[in-house]
Amino acid sequence: MSSGIVHDVVVNPNIIEMEYAVRGAIPQRAAELKKEGRKIIFCNIGNPQALGQRPISYYRQILSLIEDPGLISRERQLRKAIASSVRDASLMMKDDVLDKAEFILQKMESGMGAYTESRGPAFIREAIAHFIDTRDEVTSEEGVYANPDHIFLTNGASDAVKSVLEMLIAGPNDGIMIPIPQYPLYSATIKKYGGVQVNYYPDEDSGWSLERRALDESIQAARQQGVNVKAIVVINPGNPTGAIIDERSQREVISFAHENNLAIIADEVYQENVYDGRFVSFAKMLGRAPVPLFSLHSVSKGFYGECGHRGGYLEVRNAPNIKGTSANFIDILVKQASVSLCSNTVGQVLTYLMVTPPAPGSVSAASFAREKQQILDDLYHKAETIKEAFTRMEGIHCFGRIGALYLFPRMDRLPANTTDFDYCMQLLDTTGLCTVNGLGFGQKPGTHHLRIAFLPPAEMLQEVLPQWIEFHNRYVNS
Ligand SMILES: Cc1ncc(COP(=O)(O)O)c(C=O)c1O
């Protein structure tokens, strides 16, 4: 029988030290306030549907059909039986929705409840490769075609980041360059796997552009400390900055990586959130340059916002061979994927839907395009509204084009002996607005920022922004 004494246990200290500000002290305080009955606007995380964004109907109808395949034939029979008496066709599932669900089910072979191939079903990887080639305008003369065998379906991009970093960090001196500020998944994962975080600093005042000098300084400083730098992470569009990396900066990163034998980890989960321009992928910019590239995409962001369904993919180019073995990086990634059996099938199907939207002219094309455009327009409009409010706050500057789901303004006039953490806590207490302070993402020493996700409904923003402006101008002059 147990003596009732619970023994202490030693756990991985890296996990204890790991930090993740997006769900840190400020959101925790917000949750407490909410429990006490306060109205809280959660802008601390890019979780669109938590703030009322409606899922795309086309996706959800197909998901419901494939989860309960009997619905497909029932829907078809029902259609025939009552078509003449139902006047409103929008009450019924569209033909192309039923067809697509049927097609997916047939391709999934063993249905949604079975494990799939570890990398993910081949038809989905082929569709992803086609999506990448179309997006990047690859032709037999220009660019490099994506290889479906070098694509892995993942439980969101987070999973992909973990598996790549787990492989690259082979010892305590292995370093990964990350932009500062960064999305803390990177700092946390580097910490977890016992590697060295090597910071580099995009230039805020020029819209977060990347200068070669900043990259060189960062790698030289790391090497002087004995760090073996293995890869550089780029987040485009950026989180937390929302900034879009220009093509000149992309070229700088590629030549820097090439000259220093680094792999590039291109986090492109916000590729649909480029509101006033065109997204250019690192795969496209890389062309035939022999630099290992790990590109990530996800169903969590864009206009889909399906964070909870955990879908995404990792695409690998120029996969390196593994030193001292006859194996290639892809072989080991396959082995790693097989240990987890497979990513979840709903996420896989959503990823498939993300890369195969309704064909132009098809029955669902117009309603799909309408829903998509409405979401993207709303997001951009909300970002502009918040940016405009910043112009009425003393000492606030927000650099770069609008991208991703965030604004990351710099606060140049905080009262003496206060930090951006104090500011965000006070902002939360006064207005109910939950943001994350800049330190949670890393920032140049001596600067102060906050990140706000521009996701709350417009009416909520209209209500809270005047309160924020008033709070801000009082706070910085206190
Ligand atoms: C830059 C970036 N990468 C990856 C992720 C994780 O996305 P997923 O939900 O696909 O794991 C996020 C989530 O906010 C993110 O902002």
Side-chain angles (χ1 to χ4, degrees), residues 284-456:
K284 181 176 171 83
M285 291 304 287
L286 189 70
R288 294 179 194 278
V291 176
L293 173 69
F294 301 93
S295 307
L296 322 172
H297 195 10
S298 163
V299 302
S300 298
K301 313 296 174 180
F303 57 92
Y304 2 94
E306 294 280 8
C307 302
H309 277 120
R310 315 305 298 129
Y313 70 79
L314 161 68
E315 192 230 350
V316 188
R317 293 190 175 213
N318 303 317
N321 292 323
I322 311 282
K323 217 177 188 165
T325 74
S326 58
N328 181 270
F329 212 91
I330 298 291
D331 304 326
I332 310 296
L333 278 173
V334 172
K335 181 155 86 173
Q336 208 182 23
S338 25
V339 176
S340 306
L341 299 164
C342 67
S343 62
N344 81 85
T345 52
V346 178
Q348 292 179 353
V349 171
L350 259 171
T351 306
Y352 176 69
L353 295 174
M354 174 179 82
V355 299
T356 59
S362 64
V363 191
S364 291
S367 57
F368 178 88
R370 210 170 30 248
E371 287 180 44
K372 168 181 169 176
Q373 208 47 51
Q374 182 72 55
I375 290 169
L376 293 174
D377 288 350
D378 279 356
L379 286 170
Y380 189 59
H381 181 65
K382 289 188 285 197
E384 278 190 312
T385 306
I386 301 173
K387 242 185 146 168
E388 199 277 323
F390 291 156
T391 63
R392 285 181 273 154
M393 298 184 195
E394 291 174 35
I396 282 242
H397 302 282
C398 191
F399 299 90
R401 284 161 60 196
I402 294 172
L405 303 174
Y406 315 100
L407 294 170
F408 192 69
R410 190 171 73 204
M411 299 184 284
D412 288 337
R413 279 203 53 192
L414 289 191
N417 302 321
T418 64
T419 63
D420 47 27
F421 178 81
D422 304 324
Y423 178 97
C424 291
M425 273 294 194
Q426 277 294 319
L427 176 66
L428 170 66
D429 274 339
T430 311
T431 65
L433 195 57
C434 179
T435 57
V436 182
N437 64 309
L439 202 58
F441 306 95
Q443 55 195 350
K444 256 199 172 149
T447 65
H448 304 284
H449 297 81
L450 64 77
R451 186 191 79 171
I452 176 165
F454 45 79
L455 292 165

Side-chain angles (χ1 to χ4, degrees), residues 30 121 146 197 204 223 231 278 316 361 414 456 460:
Q197 171 181 326
E204 178 167 16
R223 283 181 177 153
R278 208 168 68 92
V316 188
L414 289 191
M460 239 184 226

Side-chain angles (χ1 to χ4, degrees), residues 156-158 183 185 235 239 267 269-270 298 300-301 310-311 406:
S158 308
Y183 173 54
L185 165 69
I235 309 176
N239 179 5
D267 183 329
V269 302
Y270 296 102
S298 163
S300 298
K301 313 296 174 180
R310 315 305 298 129
Y406 315 100

Side-chain angles (χ1 to χ4, degrees), residues 198-256:
V198 178
N199 297 340
Y200 70 89
Y201 293 87
D203 181 45
E204 178 167 16
D205 294 80
S206 64
W208 302 102
S209 68
L210 294 175
E211 303 303 329
R212 179 61 191 255
R213 191 172 40 82
L215 302 178
D216 287 336
E217 277 170 14
S218 152
I219 202 165
Q220 276 155 19
R223 283 181 177 153
Q224 269 162 19
Q225 314 227 326
V227 177
N228 175 25
V229 181
K230 307 275 277 286
I232 177 167
V233 173
V234 276
I235 309 176
N236 186 38
N239 179 5
T241 61
I244 296 155
I245 301 181
D246 58 27
E247 291 183 31
R248 184 198 56 78
S249 298
Q250 287 181 298
R251 274 192 287 272
E252 291 283 22
V253 171
I254 292 166
S255 62
F256 171 78

